[in-house]
Amino acid sequence: FRDAGREDRFFDVMFADVQRDPVAAMERLYVEMGDELTDDTRTRMAEWWAAESADRRQGPRPDPAAFGLDPATLREQFAFYHERFAVPTPS
């Protein structure tokens, strides 16, 4: 769908951007959609993000091998994604 000339119907949000500054990432989305992120919504988003921080995974990334996954195979299978969106490939 996207490759068929409908690029204008998509807006990409990088996961790393959301992790670093979720409200700023959402503000870019709002602007792209022609909407305004109000101060009240911005405040509520920030409060939710802070309140939920204890439930987010902390520490090192899980080892894919622990789930029967081969990192080399995953890199190969998702290479198109990393290339298209300039996502760094984990080592």
Side-chain angles (χ1 to χ4, degrees):
F1 187 81
R2 187 176 196 155
D3 291 338
R6 295 177 181 95
E7 180 70 30
D8 62 316
R9 299 192 64 187
F10 292 85
F11 178 78
D12 299 314
V13 178
M14 300 297 289
F15 182 74
D17 292 345
V18 173
Q19 293 299 298
R20 184 176 41 259
D21 190 344
V23 177
M26 292 303 98
E27 186 161 22
R28 288 192 303 276
L29 174 61
Y30 272 64
V31 167
E32 180 67 23
M33 301 299 293
D35 206 348
E36 177 187 354
L37 184 62
T38 66
D39 289 340
D40 179 56
T41 301
R42 182 182 286 106
T43 297
R44 292 173 67 194
M45 285 179 177
E47 288 172 351
W48 176 85
W49 187 258
E52 295 297 316
S53 67
D55 292 336
R56 285 198 271 304
R57 184 184 61 76
Q58 305 293 321
R61 294 176 183 233
D63 180 3
F67 302 98
L69 301 171
D70 175 45
T73 301
L74 292 172
R75 278 192 290 280
E76 182 181 316
Q77 290 175 332
F78 289 93
F80 75 93
Y81 179 86
H82 288 269
E83 291 167 11
R84 180 175 196 147
F85 298 105
V87 175
T89 302
S91 50

